[in-house]
Amino acid sequence: MKRILSILRDAFMPATRTTLWLLKIMIPISLAVRLLQYYGVIEWVAQYLNPLFQYMGLPGASAIAFLTGASVTTYACLAVMLSMHLTLRQATIIAIMVLICHALPMECAVVKKVGSKPFKMAVLRIVGAFLAALYLNLVLPEMPQPFTTMPVADSIASVWEVVEQWLWASLKLCAMIYGLIYGLMVLQRILDKLGIMRMLTQPLRPLMLFFGLPENASYLWLVGNVLGISYGSAMMLDLEERGEITREEANEVNYHLIMNHSMLEDTLVFAAAGVSAAWILSTRILFAFLLVWFRKLYKRMLALRKSYVEQ
């Protein structure tokens, strides 16, 4: 009991700091989107983006949510999505795009430290996000229900009514985000204290072979999928320095993680807002699987070609 209370207490301040940091980004973006929507700017932008995004079953205005997530965080993207008129189907497609391609400046800088090429990783994530959207537009059933019941700015409302609606919606979002982050930090500490992360690595070795990853990469894969790319890369760097993995092995794991990382947090965030966890997990795992095996096939073809030329 004392250990649990200690974990709950230790998680309070980090969760609070993280939430405040996120809200500093999210709140201004969310308000800006509401006001841009009210004054018709988003509708004006959308008409130029509709030709591209309609192939993915999305309105042109959804580009704002995608660009926000790609440059900042998934939380900022969610704040934008909750400020728009979207169906659940459209929200699912945007969610997958952003979960594959989010926080590019920060995460590409992180993977560079362990030996991956940041520009290449960024391009793969952007391409992967659009291919995943095209895939979902083909396979997703119709979901006409609205993504959120939160009030959205009405063209006949005054600007002050828009701000009031945004304020109440933001307060609900803040409460949800803090609850999620605090709960995740408590869970992470419990897993660490009990040594569960290390215990799970051995049974995951066959799964690594299925994903096309090095057999000894199970711990890196688990850390990246539970804690995210930033924590995962920090762990990879530590293991590299200790000689437990090679730089090439760390790079191979990153090809999987750029498509599918932070499965716990990312899935819970969007599932709490109404997006299906099954579609999130299955799509990200599929594209991570395809990227790694296509890369292996490409490298094999290059090796065969080189061998043929030398002969």
Side-chain angles (χ1 to χ4, degrees), residues 114 236-247 250:
V114 296
M236 286 183 200
L237 193 60
D238 180 57
L239 293 175
E240 278 183 20
E241 291 172 352
R242 286 189 282 154
E244 294 188 26
I245 63 167
T246 66
R247 206 163 179 80

Side-chain angles (χ1 to χ4, degrees), residues 12 27 52 82 91 123 156 183 202 279 283 296 306:
F12 177 76
I27 296 300
L52 172 63
L82 292 172
V123 170
I156 62 172
Q202 190 66 28
W279 280 111
T283 305
K296 280 184 171 293
K306 182 179 179 182

Side-chain angles (χ1 to χ4, degrees), residues 209-212 288-298:
L209 297 177
F210 173 74
F211 282 140
F289 176 89
L290 291 175
L291 176 59
V292 172
W293 281 107
F294 272 126
R295 178 173 178 262
K296 280 184 171 293
L297 178 62
Y298 177 70

Side-chain angles (χ1 to χ4, degrees), residues 246-265:
T246 66
R247 206 163 179 80
E248 177 56 31
E249 286 173 336
N251 184 47
E252 285 185 38
V253 176
N254 272 336
Y255 276 91
H256 179 100
L257 291 181
I258 59 171
M259 293 289 151
N260 186 41
H261 62 271
S262 193
M263 289 173 66
L264 186 62
E265 180 179 358

Side-chain angles (χ1 to χ4, degrees), residues 74-75 77-78 81 91 94-96 98-99 147 176 180 265-277 280:
T74 52
Y75 290 95
C77 169
L78 182 60
M81 290 169 64
I94 299 171
I96 293 297
V98 172
L99 289 176
F147 169 55
M176 182 190 78
L180 280 172
E265 180 179 358
D266 289 348
T267 304
L268 284 174
V269 167
F270 281 96
V275 178
S276 166
I280 291 173

